[in-house]
Amino acid sequence: MVISAVAKDLNVSEREVLEMEARLSGRDIGFDAPTDEDDEHAPPSPAAYLMAQDEDPSQAYERADSEDHQLELLREGLAGLDARSRDIIARRWLDADSKVTLQELADEYGVSAERIRQIEANAMKKMKALLAA
C-alpha cells in the first residue's frame, strides 16, 4: 500500500496522509470569487461566509457603547427601587420568556390589580426621574 509507505516515511498516521491528499487534490477557490448563479453545485467563496460589513466600525462601537450605557442606566434605575417595585417591573417588562399579568402579580402579593398598576406606574416615574438626573 502506497499510503502506508508514505505514512511510515513521514512518521504520521494513514488518516493524516488521506486527509492531506484530499486537501491537495481539491480545487482552488478564490477568496472573493464571483458566484456562478447557473451552477448550484459550486461552493460559495470563503468571503461569502464573512459577516457583512455594512456598518462603519466607529458606528458599531458607538452603537455598542450606547447600548452598554443604556443598560447601565437601567441597572441604576432598578437599583433605586424597593424590592417589590423592582420585582414588578422586572416581571412585567424585562422577563422575555414569560411576562406576567397584573392579576397574576395581584394574586401573588395579595392586593388588587389596580394597586399593582399603581406600583408599576410609580416605579416607572422613579426610574425616569433617576435617568433624567
Side-chain angles (χ1 to χ4, degrees):
M1 294 265 267
V2 174
I3 294 175
S4 298
V6 170
K8 185 179 178 187
D9 288 345
L10 296 175
N11 196 23
V12 295
S13 69
E14 289 183 18
R15 185 173 83 46
E16 288 178 289
V17 172
L18 289 171
E19 183 181 325
M20 199 48 63
E21 181 184 5
R23 286 184 184 181
L24 292 172
S25 65
R27 70 180 201 181
D28 291 335
I29 301 173
F31 180 75
D32 58 351
T35 57
D36 185 8
E37 285 84 26
D38 296 336
D39 187 7
E40 56 189 55
H41 298 293
S45 68
Y49 294 105
L50 297 177
M51 290 180 13
Q53 297 297 324
D54 298 336
E55 190 172 37
D56 182 322
S58 64
Q59 289 174 337
Y61 174 79
E62 189 174 322
R63 181 182 39 77
D65 187 51
S66 174
E67 288 172 1
D68 289 345
H69 180 67
Q70 289 173 351
L71 188 57
E72 185 58 35
L73 288 174
L74 177 61
R75 283 189 189 112
E76 290 175 13
L78 286 171
L81 299 175
D82 62 276
R84 182 174 65 172
S85 297
R86 187 172 37 251
D87 182 55
I88 291 170
I89 294 296
R91 292 175 61 195
R92 290 270 300 149
W93 294 97
L94 303 176
D95 190 1
D97 295 333
S98 61
K99 296 183 190 289
V100 296
T101 64
L102 291 173
Q103 189 58 52
E104 289 170 333
L105 287 168
D107 293 342
E108 185 177 323
Y109 283 106
V111 296
S112 68
E114 175 60 21
R115 180 65 185 134
I116 295 294
R117 189 200 61 73
Q118 291 169 356
I119 293 169
E120 179 183 40
N122 287 335
M124 290 291 208
K125 282 181 189 177
K126 284 181 187 177
M127 287 178 60
K128 284 180 185 176
L130 286 170
L131 297 178

